[in-house]
Amino acid sequence: AQGRPVAERGLFAEVDGGILIVPSAERLEAGRTARLVRTLDYGRIEMERDGLSAKLPARFGVIALDEGVDEDESAPGALRDRLAIWLTLDGLSLRDTGVAPDWPRRVVAARTLFPQTTAGENLATLFCEAAAALGIVSIRAPILALTVARIAAALDGRTEATTTDAEIAARLVLGPRATRLPAQDTPEDLEENEPQRDDAEDLRDNDTPE
């Protein structure tokens, strides 16, 4: 109609500041996945095509609905790696869900408070150690857990995340990603780690009353 190329706002730019819902995420093609995760990483859309140039903000949250039945049917790994919270809704129905009356108010207040919310270095170290113990190799997992801990604090009206917030974040972010249980010392390991004692020490111990 214009007789020339015209740049328009696409889906990612339109959803800036909101939530993008991806149904049947297990069927997401590689090309669309690549564009989506790039936008999530940079928070903007950059277009260079047919003589047109545009940079548009595109910062949004994603809810990916994985409706795969078989084990080999799942949302792309690159997308799952960038999604903080993994929830399994098996066995739940709409009747089992609900929203607390004050939840909308708390969310609005938390959004205002979140930029001022901090988390100490001890929590960052805690998340990294926990991720390593659980066999989680992605560095995004502890970073996302730290963000969720800050969100939990903001929802509670606080500006500093505590270990209670860290426990919530670990259950929501690290738990579903775990590939192994934390290593624990077996009785054999404890026996091997006991310091070696010479015969003289044994004799002295035997001469000592209990």
Side-chain angles (χ1 to χ4, degrees), residues 49-143:
R49 181 180 176 184
D50 298 333
L52 298 175
S53 177
K55 293 183 179 180
L56 301 173
R59 297 179 61 85
F60 50 82
V62 173
I63 297 177
L65 305 177
D66 187 342
E67 303 171 42
V69 177
D70 299 330
E71 292 184 359
D72 57 346
E73 291 182 331
S74 63
L79 177 58
R80 287 187 288 114
D81 192 34
R82 289 163 172 80
L83 302 180
I85 299 173
W86 297 359
L87 299 177
T88 299
L89 304 180
D90 295 341
L92 293 178
S93 68
L94 188 60
R95 293 190 299 272
D96 299 322
T97 63
V99 177
D102 65 336
W103 188 248
R105 178 191 59 78
R106 291 178 60 190
V107 170
V108 171
R111 284 178 174 174
T112 303
L113 189 61
F114 178 73
Q116 309 167 28
T117 306
T118 61
E121 184 178 342
N122 61 318
L123 294 188
T125 301
L126 179 66
F127 286 134
C128 289
E129 292 176 347
L134 294 171
I136 302 171
V137 297
S138 173
I139 190 59
R140 287 190 178 92
I143 294 175

Side-chain angles (χ1 to χ4, degrees), residues 8-28:
E8 293 186 348
R9 293 169 61 87
L11 175 62
F12 292 167
E14 288 290 343
V15 80
D16 178 49
I19 299 293
L20 178 69
I21 299 178
V22 184
S24 299
E26 75 283 357
R27 300 182 182 180
L28 201 61

Side-chain angles (χ1 to χ4, degrees), residues 134-157:
L134 294 171
I136 302 171
V137 297
S138 173
I139 190 59
R140 287 190 178 92
I143 294 175
L144 292 170
L146 200 63
T147 301
V148 172
R150 292 174 56 208
I151 292 172
L155 284 170
D156 202 33

